């Protein structure tokens, strides 16, 4: 999808986990479509670098440090956004713990690792949604896009905490769509699969990729650009009559 078809001029978009991978791609594409972008990430230096990249190209961006698992940090992020631009039009809950996880039987996942994954991947989404709700309600509109995963439906083994956290994202999306609909706020999720970024991963071996690609209708790996069209669509006015849905971006791995 050409972002020229999606005009986000003067709209404010918060992207958590925006400093690398898919989050960075979101930040650059929304900025290219005219949005004012908050690049929020635990890594403040990388967030600032992406924001500088946008401003150097003539766009508007803020690079902010945020720990989405911490309510005070999330509130500070949203406050900084409102102080700068006075509104929040789109929230993309992209931050997650994934690439650093080691596959293991669920009996071997200790409570600290379980809590880390749930705190970032599930509680972090909850906190961010809470933090933007008042500003969106005041304007009578808003788009919240939560990033889930194909593992919710495939039940991928040896990732029990990650699967559970991303399942919570889908359930929360449905609950918030119901609660926020009266305020004109759309809440949807995207469920990606097989997206390759510059972030290193060693959890999928070459032979596993062969099996994954064989199960897909489209026989190729995905890239960050494959996520952009779906996200721009759900953030735009073209999706105003869609809420509470989970959009699979997965090369036809699953059919609803």
């Amino acid at each position: 999808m050409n972002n020229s078809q999606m005009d986000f001029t003067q709209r404010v978009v918060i992207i958590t986990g925006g400093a690398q991978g898919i989050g960075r791609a979101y930040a650059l594409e929304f900025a290219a479509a005219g949005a004012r972008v908050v690049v929020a990430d635990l890594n403040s230096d990388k967030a600032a670098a992406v924001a500088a990249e946008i401003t150097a190209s003539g766009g508007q961006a803020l690079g902010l440090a945020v720990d989405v698992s911490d309510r005070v940090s999330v509130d500070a992020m949203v406050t900084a956004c409102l102080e700068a631009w006075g509104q929040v039009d789109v929230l993309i809950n992209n931050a997650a713990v994934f690439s650093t996880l080691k596959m293991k039987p669920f009996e071997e996942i200790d409570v600290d690792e379980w809590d880390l994954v749930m705190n970032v991947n599930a509680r972090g989404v909850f906190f961010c949604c809470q933090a933007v709700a008042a500003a969106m309600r005041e304007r009578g509109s808003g788009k919240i896009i939560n990033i889930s995963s194909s593992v919710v439906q495939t039940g991928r083994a040896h990732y029990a905490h990650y699967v559970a956290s991303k399942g919570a994202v889908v359930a929360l999306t449905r609950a918030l769509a119901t609660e926020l609909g009266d305020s004109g706020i759309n809440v949807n999720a995207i469920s990606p699969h097989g997206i390759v970024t510059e972030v290193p991963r060693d959890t999928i071996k070459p032979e596993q990729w062969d099996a994954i690609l064989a199960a897909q209708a489209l026989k190729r790996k995905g890239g960050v650009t494959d996520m952009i069209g779906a996200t721009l669509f759900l953030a735009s006015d073209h999706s105003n009559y869609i809420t509470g849905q989970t959009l699979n971006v997965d090369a036809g791995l699953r059919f609803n």
Side-chain angles (χ1 to χ4, degrees), residues 127-138:
F127 281 165
C128 290
C129 290
Q130 279 190 324
V132 302
M136 288 185 173
R137 278 191 164 120
E138 184 176 349

Side-chain angles (χ1 to χ4, degrees), residues 76-150:
M77 171 191 70
V78 175
T79 296
C81 174
L82 293 173
E83 287 177 349
W85 292 314
Q87 65 197 62
V88 181
D89 298 287
V90 179
L91 166 66
I92 302 174
N93 280 310
N94 175 69
V97 175
F98 175 56
S99 63
T100 58
L101 296 177
K102 302 297 183 183
M103 298 180 71
K104 63 185 71 173
F106 81 95
E107 298 98 328
E108 297 178 12
I109 298 172
D110 64 39
V111 68
D112 290 337
E113 186 172 338
W114 173 273
D115 286 347
L116 170 65
V117 174
M118 295 300 291
N119 287 347
V120 175
N121 296 5
R123 189 171 75 176
V125 172
F126 176 67
F127 281 165
C128 290
C129 290
Q130 279 190 324
V132 302
M136 288 185 173
R137 278 191 164 120
E138 184 176 349
R139 290 174 59 81
S141 65
K143 297 294 181 74
I144 295 174
I145 303 167
N146 300 322
I147 308 302
S148 182
S149 171
S150 65

Side-chain angles (χ1 to χ4, degrees), residues 155-190:
R156 187 178 180 193
H158 298 159
Y159 269 135
H161 44 1
Y162 183 74
V163 175
S165 71
K166 289 301 187 176
V169 169
V170 172
L172 182 62
T173 295
R174 295 170 180 171
L176 296 188
T178 303
E179 284 201 42
L180 296 173
D182 285 348
S183 299
I185 300 167
N186 302 65
V187 187
N188 291 290
I190 294 176

Side-chain angles (χ1 to χ4, degrees), residues 15-25 27-28 37-55 61-66 94 99-100 197-200:
I15 302 164
T16 67
Q20 62 180 352
I22 297 170
R24 176 178 174 274
L28 298 177
V37 177
V38 174
V39 183
D41 201 280
L42 190 62
N43 189 317
S44 59
D45 290 339
K46 286 187 176 181
V50 175
E53 189 176 355
I54 291 170
T55 56
L62 287 176
L64 298 177
V66 65
N94 175 69
S99 63
T100 58
T197 75
E198 83 279 7
V199 180

Side-chain angles (χ1 to χ4, degrees), residues 12 25 29 77 115 153 159 167 180 192 213 250:
V12 177
E29 289 293 331
M77 171 191 70
D115 286 347
Q153 290 179 276
Y159 269 135
L180 296 173
L213 295 175
D250 65 359

